[in-house]
Structures are given as C-alpha cells and as structure tokens.
Amino acid sequence: MPGTAASVRPSALATHALSGALVALRAAAAVAVLAASAAAAPIKFPATPDGAREVRDERDVSPYLAAWKASNLGRARALATPASANQTAYDVHHYDLDLTFTPTAQSVAGTVKVRASVLAGPLAEIELDLAANMVVDAATAAGAPAAFARSGDRVTVQLDRAYQTGEIAEVGVTYHGIPSGGSLVFTTYYGRRLVWSLSEPYGARTWWPCKDQPADKADSVDLRFTVPTGLIAASNGTRTEATDNGTVAVSRWRHRYPITTYLVSIAAYPYAVSTDWYLPAAGGPMPIDFYNVPESLAGANVVQPKVKDMLAAFAARFGEYPFLAEKYGHAEFTFGGGMEHQTCTSLGAYIEYIVAHEAAHQWWGDWVTCRDFHHIWINEGLATWSEALWAEATGGAAAYRNDLAFNRYFGPGTIHVPDAADEARIFSSNLSYNKGSWVPHMLRGMLGDSLFFGALRAFGQQFAYGTATTEDVRDAFEAHTGWDLDAFFQQWIYGERYPAYRATWTSAPAPGGHDVTLTLVQTQSGQLFTMPVPVRVTTASGETTFVVRDSLRAQTFVLRVPDEPRAVAVDPDQWILRTVETPVTSPSFDRPVLLVNGVDWATYGAEITNAYANRAFWGDYAVDFWDCFAAPAGGYPASLPAPLGHGAVPPEVMGRYRNVVWVGNHLGGDLDAWQSSPILSYLEKGGNVLLMSRMGDQFLPDTLLRFLGVSIVPGTTLYDCVAARPGLTNIARTGTQSACIVLDTARTQPETQLLWRAEQNYAPHRGIGFFRAPAGGGTQRAQGGRFAFLSGRPYRWDHAQLRANVMTLLDDWFLEPLDLAGAGAPGRALALAFGAPQPNPSAGEVALHFTLPRAGVARLELLDVAGRRVRTLRDGWSGAGTHEARWDGRDAAGRDAPAGLYWARLALDGEVRVQRIVRVR
Ligand SMILES: [Zn+2]
C-alpha cells in the first residue's frame, strides 16, 4: 500500500528517545524552518565551475553538487582501472599514512604502510595503485627493505617470502612527488594557505599508494600529517595528537571504522575550530567538530547548529549514526559543494540542503558504499533523497514531496552507470542524484513506511561498513519484505525513462454503489513498467484510495465505490516518477491561440514581465492566456489578457484551441503543469504546439522525441541561435542561456525540419529548434498535429527577434488562420502583415499584398527552397498602409523560375514576414 499523507509524517522522531531539552530545541528549530519556508525565495548559488551563478530553489542542490564533482573530477578517466589479479588476491586491513605536505613545493612526501591478509596464496608481491609521476624512494616488507618495481600507475613491492592464504602481509612505500590531477590541492584562501583533498572516485592513488578500489575497505586507518606551522589539519576519526613547534604542525588521527580509500582526507588551514554535541538515543554525547574559515563563520553559524538535529533525524530513520565512537564534523574547503569524507565532511557551501546531503552520506556512501561506481546511485540517490527526509523532519509531508518534486528527471539514460570510467556520467545530477533519489521514494510509496524503513535499516545492517550493488539492495529489500522487486530494479536502475500513463474512466451504477472503469495506457515508446499505482476516487461521501497493479500497454480496472464518482486521480500524491495525461476527447479547435506561461513570476521578475510586455512569445496575434503560476504580485503585464486559469491546462480548455504556445522553464512547478496537460492527445487530435523552454529534455518524453524525429545529445548552454530555414532569422541572446538542451541534427523522421541550430562551441553544430508536421495531420484536423520546439530560456532571447520568428512559425509553419490583436484599438499601431499569395499554387503571375504599420525601408524578395535569392521585388522606402507587388514567375535574369516551393520574404526594420508560394507548370 502506498503511504498516505498522514503516514509520511516523521512519527519516528516523536517516539525517538530524546532528552527534554533536545526535544524543545528541535521543536523550536522546526517552527523556525517552517516560518522560513513559508517565505522561501529561490536563492543564488555560487557559480558552478562551468556556468554562471544560477538561480535555484534552495532545495535544488543536486545539479549543483553534481556539477562540482563532475567538473572538478573530470580528469582521471585513465585512472579508472579494475583491480589487478594480484590485488584481488589480498584484502587490506589497515593503512598507516605518515605524510608531510609542503605547500611551497605543492608536494607530498612520506611513508604509507599497508597491512593485508592473503585471500589466494601463495602471494609473493603486493601491487598498489600510485600515480606514475610520484617517485618511490624505498619499500619495505615485514619491516625490512624490499625490492619494488614501477609500471604505469602501479607500484609492486616484493614480499620477503611467499604468503599463504590467510596470512597477514605488511608492506611500506616511501615516496615523494607533486600530485597531479586535482585530488590534492594546495591553494590560498583569504591570503592563508589551504591544503585539501577530494579523491572520489579514483584520485586517492594520485597522492598516496593504496589498493584504490571501493570494494576493499580497510578496517581502520592511522594518519599522521605534517603541515606548515599555523595550519590546523582536519581528518577522519579522532585526533590523538596535535603539536606546532613554530616550524611545522603535526597531527595524528585514529579511525577505527572500515573506510574506503576515496574517503580518506586532509583539510588544513588556520581554521576557527568549534565543537557542538550530538545526543544519541543511547550513550553519551558525541562531538561534532567544525573547522571553519573565520570569514565564513556568519554563514556557517546559521546552518551548523542544525547538524545535530540532522544526525538525529537520520538516525531515527536509518539506525544510529555509524561512527558514534568518534565524531562528525565539517572542514571548509574551496570546492563549491561538499564531499562526504568519513566523519569529516569537506564543505564549500553552507547551504542547509548540502549540509544535510553530506550528513546523510555518512550512512549512504560511507557506512554502506557503492561497490563500484556503476552503482553510485546507492551513495548519491539515497543522499539526495535524504535531503527530502530532512525537509520532512522540519516541514512535514508537503515539504518532503516538494523537495522530491525538484528531483524528478524525465530524460533519457539509466541510473546504472554503464561506463564507470566516465566521471561526468558517474556524477550525472539527473541520473545518479535526482532519478536515483526517486528509487527509495518509490519503494517507500509501494511498501509503506513501516515496511520500507525496516527494509532500509535491514539493508544497512547487512552491508554495514561494507559495500553494496544494486542487486544487494534488491535482495535485502526482497528478503525483508517478501516482495518480488526484480522488475522494479530492472526497470528503474537498468531501464530508461518512466511510465507515461494516459488515464480515462467511466462509471456506472452497480450493486451497492458505482463501478468506476479505469483504463490506464502506458504511452511511452520504451519499456513497459510494472508498478502498483495508487488511484483515488472522490465521491460525495469522501475519498477511496485503491492500488492497481499495472503492467500492460493498456489495462482496465473496475473499482467499486459507494457513491457516484466525481473525480478519479491517478497517483495523486506522486509516489511514482511518471506523467499522467487525461486526454483531449472532443476538441472543437474553434479558437486560434492559447498562450501558456510556465515561468515563475516571483523568481524571474522584470525579466519575464518585460518579455510579456514586448509580446515576445506571440507577437501581434490575438491570444487567450493560461498561467501555470498564480498571478504576479504586481499584476499581469497590460499586454496579456486575464488568465483563463492556473496550473495544468484541462483537456476541455486545450481542445478549444488550434494552437498552443507554451513558454516553458522548469522551475517551481511548470513542468508539472506541462506533464499534467494533455499534450500528446491534443497533438494526435490535430492541435499544434510550440514549446519554448530551457531543460527541454524534461519536457520532451521519448514519445515526443520520436514524434519530432530527433535525439538529445549532451549540451546545456546555448551560445547562439542561427536560423536554418528561409523566413526564420537568427535570434540573439539577452542573458545566459544555460540549462538548455541541444539535439542531434541527424533527423530520423523525413517530415522533421531543423529550424535553428547552435553553431558556436558545438562541433558538429547542434539543433536547437525543430519542427514536424505529420503527413497525415491529426485525427480530427488534417492540417494539424504540428509540433515545434525551440530550446533556451524563452525570456532570454532577443524579444523582437523572437517575436518575429514566432509569428513566422504560426503563419508559415503551422499555417493557421490567425486573428490580429487590437487592430484599430486606440494607441496601438497597425502590425506588419503579409497576406496569402494569390493565386497559390500558381503557374503564372502571383499577387502579394502587405501592410506596413509605418513608413520605412521595406524589402520584399523571393527565395528558393534552399534560401537562395531568386528575385527582389521591392527594396526601398515605402509608406505606411497596404501595398501590392506582383511576381511574374521569373528570376532576376528574366528566366522562368522552375516549378517548386518558393518563399516570399517581407522585411521592415528587421521584422520579417514570410509566405510560401508553390509554383507549378
Ligand atoms: Zn553526494
């Protein structure tokens, strides 16, 4: 059974044994957070490494974290090596690192000792990973000097004898060098030296020799770090010694929990150190040590007092904090996100949801680690979902759902990482983080809280301090619940996309009430999903929730309710990563254009209202208006009619229009509205849709991509927009066109046309605007069913240029009769208009009529289908008013133009209108 809103509430917290003081504190904190979220405004995140500062909702941190990890780590592709045969023959028990860090030389030097048991003897040597540029000075085996050899990024130490299976071998490597690759960073911050490490996924070997495989955790580590005087080092576990003799500072760290190599860390700086305390359910308090840059204390002090509550909230759900005998803490570094170093997160941004994410990683990522990076979702999916748990702990079920709504990803790709050497793919925010976070959420919905959290804790216990794969998660959940989850994990981890349900229902009286006959059709073209789907039926006497087991392309369910049904909602609480469409059934198509706003007024302010004031998205045509959001605080721009409604567009509204112009964005819920509106059935029936949006990969399900005959290729920023068809023009940017998609210019549908392309920074060029008119039209309108897409934030294209292009699309591509808005209205100029050629098609002379709203230089020319100029009919000063020009069918040299398609292009001061002419023999 899916959980209900009531069961989602964090009841576990209330029963968690806590001191009275802590409960009071938590209650106060919860009130504060609720008050804050009521007025929550999107915040500016610091710049990501490959982009401008980005406006995000505070909770939308995954892309930010992932961008940092992928960008800063996108270097070590060559390092992703499987364990060698030798490495699989031993199991590491202990690492002892004694290292000196010299910022002036950017170097590290010292000795690392490795103790390991032999899994498959006899073993005569130990192979360790160590970057080739690091110089090995000496080696030991069993404490005595030993021979060693280098080969690429490996060092092999000869053992003193052959070791048998089960025996313990010990080797030491003394080395020095300047680490390359960016996993160990020497920098300055506020004019002071800072040393930090971030080794995930394959960077540990760039600065210390180890068996660099997450599958082989050491049971414990000892660390001795020597840094210049004045620097305070922070690391894993408990600090047992700290001295500073005025030349160097030495600290020792002792960590007695299993740890993987990429989680061993150093951060050293003249930190301001403070300690808070976490009170576990049982036992004494545990220190939380904060190593802050003094200049950051104001920001740190806002969020750091919440860390103890985060640990408590997560402990109540996952089991006790896994490193309770030692500590938790933060050490600030100059990396924009965070890194979940075991017991000592390195933190670059004091943003609450990043702090919660890294804290949750202590369980998911550190306590239980992905066995290899094909399964990174176990780390990042669970940590990202835990952000929603923190939202729930402080703001209730609605905050939980709201947080997860930000994480929905509807694009292509599998959560499973096919190529673990591709670091950008490992740290895909869409797949490993966002879609990964929906896996535990969907399991929670399917199983209910009690069973789900029980299974999650059982999984944690089973793989505690170890590593796990997707199959381990599946098997642990199956063992605890008795459910068969094979299809679930296959579909969601190894399969792509999501179910796109089309839901229709009828009802009829039946004994004791009414029968609702519900038909669910999975309209996605890829795999079918087997899911329990919650269905809520509302009647006069209340609501009844059913769960139907849906697995087929089309499936019908009969649900008995006590009264006549008023509404049927499929997955009303969003427990499934899906779309649900209630189709358009009987469209009238009797009105020209519905303009839909999907840009959050509150976030984009003048940027969006100015675009509407400039009529950038619909030009001079008469439109009706629908707003996905509530009215802007300052009221609607005068250019817009009052909205017909808000939220998703109902089928009966959409079906009245021949054209829908959708101004998309994907921030704050407009994607919900798009997905809950009957786009596909509207197209099928014969409506036309123009979608302009950033994050188009979220708006275009595979059904629409196949309809368009294009595929998405990686790319998120648009530098230019170059027209690819006659009649359209280039469109300049007015701001950063980030978070956009580009498309493969190899089209798979013969009817697909490339409208615009991005030339700058993409080789080969990428498509950013596409159009398709199906040959057969729509089922209820032969000339309809047309779909056009323009990537980019619609409000950041030049308004006048976009307006001219949209009008051309509506005129010449959608070929719709349109009404001019406000003709003759006081204070409003006439529009530039270009009438349909007469006659058309034509074997002889063609008359062209056009209206100029004002005097100016008008240019009227004829282009062939490839865009070459055939003839210029007019190019010069023309007065305001209606004009006629005639084309006799000859080119500029007086020859008869061949039969075919021609474009008549009228331009006035950069504004362009196009008509097409078919010339026949
Ligand atoms: Zn993470």
Side-chain angles (χ1 to χ4, degrees):
M1 283 288 291
T4 63
S7 70
V8 175
R9 288 186 201 289
S11 54
L13 259 189
T15 57
H16 188 51
L18 293 161
S19 75
L22 197 58
V23 170
L25 190 81
R26 179 168 295 115
V31 168
V33 169
L34 278 174
S37 64
I43 59 171
K44 282 260 192 191
F45 277 54
T48 52
D50 55 357
R53 282 166 66 90
E54 181 85 1
V55 174
R56 294 181 187 281
D57 184 278
E58 184 186 8
R59 293 187 183 145
D60 191 15
V61 300
S62 306
Y64 182 74
L65 293 176
W68 269 97
K69 276 196 178 175
S71 164
N72 281 34
L73 304 174
R75 61 184 180 259
R77 187 180 176 90
L79 295 178
T81 47
S84 68
N86 174 276
Q87 288 179 333
T88 59
Y90 70 85
D91 174 31
V92 173
H93 288 278
H94 185 75
Y95 290 115
D96 182 299
L97 283 67
D98 183 356
L99 302 180
T100 298
F101 299 87
T102 307
T104 49
Q106 309 259 308
S107 70
V108 60
T111 298
V112 171
K113 292 178 190 158
V114 185
R115 194 164 68 241
S117 63
V118 177
L119 298 174
L123 193 69
E125 58 189 29
I126 295 269
E127 272 181 26
L128 297 170
D129 299 302
L130 180 66
N133 64 304
M134 300 302 280
V135 180
V136 176
D137 303 307
T140 58
F148 65 89
R150 296 300 318 264
S151 174
D153 293 325
R154 290 241 161 87
V155 53
T156 305
V157 180
Q158 290 296 319
L159 294 169
D160 52 309
R161 59 179 173 81
Y163 282 67
Q164 299 305 315
T165 302
E167 283 195 286
I168 302 287
E170 188 165 337
V171 297
V173 175
T174 299
Y175 68 103
H176 71 274
I178 298 172
S180 64
S183 286
L184 185 75
V185 173
F186 296 95
T187 185
T188 57
Y189 198 36
Y190 292 104
R192 300 168 211 122
R193 281 182 183 137
L194 170 65
V195 183
W196 58 259
S197 69
L198 194 168
S199 300
E200 192 185 22
Y202 306 116
R205 71 195 75 172
T206 67
W207 61 281
W208 63 284
C210 54
K211 177 180 167 184
D212 203 6
Q213 299 287 338
D216 189 0
K217 290 186 178 182
D219 303 332
S220 60
V221 292
D222 282 281
L223 310 163
R224 183 176 185 272
F225 293 145
T226 302
V227 295
T229 180
L231 301 196
I232 297 168
S235 189
N236 316 100
T238 304
R239 192 173 72 178
T240 58
E241 179 191 330
T243 60
D244 189 330
N245 66 8
T247 306
V248 295
V250 177
S251 60
R252 285 180 185 274
W253 295 84
R254 184 176 180 276
H255 186 49
R256 290 294 172 264
Y257 290 98
I259 182 170
T260 192
T261 51
Y262 76 79
L263 292 172
V264 172
S265 71
I266 179 173
Y269 185 81
Y271 286 119
V273 184
S274 60
T275 298
D276 199 353
W277 298 92
Y278 164 64
L279 278 179
M286 179 196 79
I288 308 174
D289 294 334
F290 298 121
Y291 295 81
N292 298 121
V293 169
E295 287 80 358
S296 303
L297 276 173
N301 287 340
V302 172
V303 63
Q304 282 182 167
K306 299 177 183 175
V307 171
K308 56 183 173 292
D309 297 338
M310 291 175 184
L311 296 182
F314 294 141
R317 288 159 177 76
F318 308 151
E320 191 47 89
Y321 175 70
F323 311 108
L324 194 60
E326 296 182 355
K327 72 162 195 311
Y328 183 57
H330 297 157
E332 189 170 342
F333 69 164
T334 48
F335 175 90
M339 178 63 211
E340 62 271 20
H341 293 130
Q342 196 156 306
T343 72
C344 189
T345 286
S346 299
L347 198 64
Y350 293 103
I351 292 169
E352 181 166 340
Y353 286 85
I354 292 178
V355 172
H357 177 106
E358 307 305 337
H361 264 314
Q362 299 300 311
W363 284 263
W364 314 120
D366 296 4
W367 184 47
V368 180
T369 306
C370 59
R371 188 159 306 147
D372 58 51
F373 290 97
H374 296 291
H375 304 278
I376 185 68
W377 77 269
I378 297 172
N379 297 17
E380 298 300 351
L382 282 162
T384 302
W385 167 71
S386 298
E387 297 166 28
L389 285 184
W390 174 244
E392 181 182 62
T394 53
Y400 171 80
R401 280 201 298 272
N402 188 32
D403 188 280
L404 275 155
F406 273 102
N407 297 350
R408 289 176 310 156
Y409 171 66
F410 292 101
T414 60
I415 291 177
H416 178 262
V417 177
D419 176 5
D422 182 346
E423 297 199 21
R425 187 61 176 73
I426 292 173
F427 297 110
S428 160
S429 66
N430 284 332
L431 293 163
S432 301
Y433 288 68
N434 286 336
K435 196 175 183 188
S437 77
W438 271 72
V439 171
H441 172 66
M442 287 191 285
L443 285 168
R444 183 183 186 182
M446 289 162 61
L447 299 169
D449 271 16
S450 170
L451 203 52
F452 167 76
F453 281 106
L456 184 63
R457 280 191 289 271
F459 161 69
Q461 287 299 329
Q462 187 179 346
F463 295 94
Y465 308 107
T467 63
T469 63
T470 299
E471 288 61 44
D472 294 329
V473 181
R474 178 197 63 197
D475 293 349
F477 270 72
E478 286 187 340
H480 185 86
T481 62
W483 283 51
D484 179 354
L485 296 168
D486 208 44
F488 176 89
F489 282 94
Q490 186 60 40
Q491 290 158 6
W492 290 105
I493 305 297
Y494 295 97
E496 295 191 63
R497 294 190 178 270
Y498 57 93
Y501 300 113
R502 175 174 293 175
T504 50
W505 61 276
T506 57
S507 75
H514 280 71
D515 277 346
V516 173
T517 302
L518 169 73
T519 300
L520 288 182
V521 177
Q522 296 191 30
T523 62
Q524 76 277 6
S525 55
Q527 62 173 339
L528 291 175
F529 285 79
T530 299
M531 289 294 288
V533 180
V535 178
R536 183 176 297 157
V537 181
T538 305
T539 69
S541 58
E543 292 176 344
T544 311
T545 298
F546 301 84
V547 175
V548 301
R549 310 239 153 220
D550 182 72
S551 62
L552 305 177
R553 175 65 69 194
Q555 207 161 347
T556 296
F557 308 93
V558 178
L559 312 170
R560 176 74 50 88
V561 289
D563 303 298
E564 190 172 355
R566 292 173 173 175
V568 176
V570 174
D571 187 30
D573 295 324
Q574 300 212 32
W575 283 108
I576 303 172
L577 182 68
R578 51 57 178 174
T579 56
V580 179
E581 177 183 16
T582 304
V584 172
T585 49
S586 48
S588 60
F589 294 127
D590 60 359
R591 294 191 58 79
V593 181
L594 181 66
L595 174 70
V596 181
N597 171 57
V599 182
D600 180 16
W601 304 98
T603 304
Y604 291 91
E607 200 175 12
I608 186 61
T609 51
N610 287 343
Y612 278 108
N614 291 332
R615 309 171 71 91
F617 313 125
W618 73 103
D620 297 327
Y621 294 121
V623 294
D624 289 336
F625 179 59
W626 186 276
D627 192 359
C628 298
F629 292 93
Y636 286 102
S639 58
L640 284 172
L644 301 173
H646 303 272
V649 183
E652 58 275 17
V653 172
M654 194 171 281
R656 296 185 57 195
Y657 295 87
R658 294 186 292 276
N659 306 280
V660 170
V661 175
W662 195 292
V663 182
N665 195 52
H666 189 16
L667 188 98
D670 63 303
L671 182 63
D672 274 346
W674 168 264
Q675 287 170 336
S676 304
S677 300
I679 300 296
L680 192 60
S681 62
Y682 173 73
L683 280 168
E684 286 169 356
K685 289 280 194 297
N688 302 322
V689 177
L690 165 60
L691 169 67
M692 298 176 277
S693 187
R694 73 174 194 143
M695 297 182 80
D697 49 339
Q698 303 284 291
F699 286 79
L700 299 176
D702 62 337
T703 42
L704 283 180
L705 283 176
R706 286 162 73 101
F707 180 88
L708 274 171
V710 295
S711 56
I712 292 169
V713 290
T716 58
T717 299
L718 299 181
Y719 303 93
D720 61 353
C721 177
V722 177
R725 306 295 299 178
L728 299 174
T729 59
N730 300 353
I731 311 176
R733 292 178 297 138
T734 61
T736 305
Q737 282 290 12
S738 60
C740 308
I741 58 162
V742 295
L743 298 121
D744 200 334
T745 47
R747 280 94 69 198
T748 58
Q749 296 280 3
E751 303 146 335
T752 299
Q753 310 222 32
L754 174 67
L755 300 179
W756 291 276
R757 63 176 177 261
E759 294 190 343
Q760 250 177 286
N761 292 42
Y762 291 105
H765 300 159
R766 302 299 189 201
I768 61 172
F770 280 88
F771 173 81
R772 184 178 170 228
T779 56
Q780 297 193 17
R781 234 165 49 99
Q783 77 278 28
R786 294 157 185 246
F787 189 93
F789 171 72
L790 172 61
S791 188
R793 301 165 185 259
Y795 43 88
R796 289 188 189 161
W797 294 121
D798 177 275
H799 297 166
Q801 291 168 0
L802 181 61
R803 180 177 61 224
N805 278 279
V806 169
M807 290 181 72
T808 300
L809 273 182
L810 292 171
D811 284 345
D812 300 320
W813 295 79
F814 286 176
L815 297 173
E816 292 292 338
L818 298 169
D819 302 334
L820 282 177
R828 199 181 141 62
L830 277 176
L832 177 66
F834 195 7
Q838 296 290 339
N840 194 21
S842 169
E845 194 175 67
V846 180
L848 298 162
H849 293 93
F850 57 93
T851 303
L852 303 184
R854 60 190 176 278
V857 176
R859 182 178 174 89
L860 174 57
E861 52 195 357
L862 288 150
L863 311 172
D864 71 10
V865 73
R868 288 183 293 257
R869 186 178 303 108
V870 174
R871 180 88 176 268
T872 301
L873 294 180
R874 184 177 298 228
D875 189 8
W877 189 263
S878 301
T882 298
H883 300 261
E884 181 188 83
R886 290 183 168 270
W887 182 39
D888 57 8
R890 296 176 188 278
D891 67 14
R895 293 178 297 246
D896 254 348
L901 177 65
Y902 291 85
W903 304 95
R905 183 180 187 278
L906 172 71
L908 177 72
D909 300 339
E911 224 181 329
V912 172
R913 298 286 181 275
V914 176
Q915 288 287 357
R916 58 182 213 163
I917 299 172
V918 177
R919 182 163 166 72
V920 295
R921 290 277 176 194

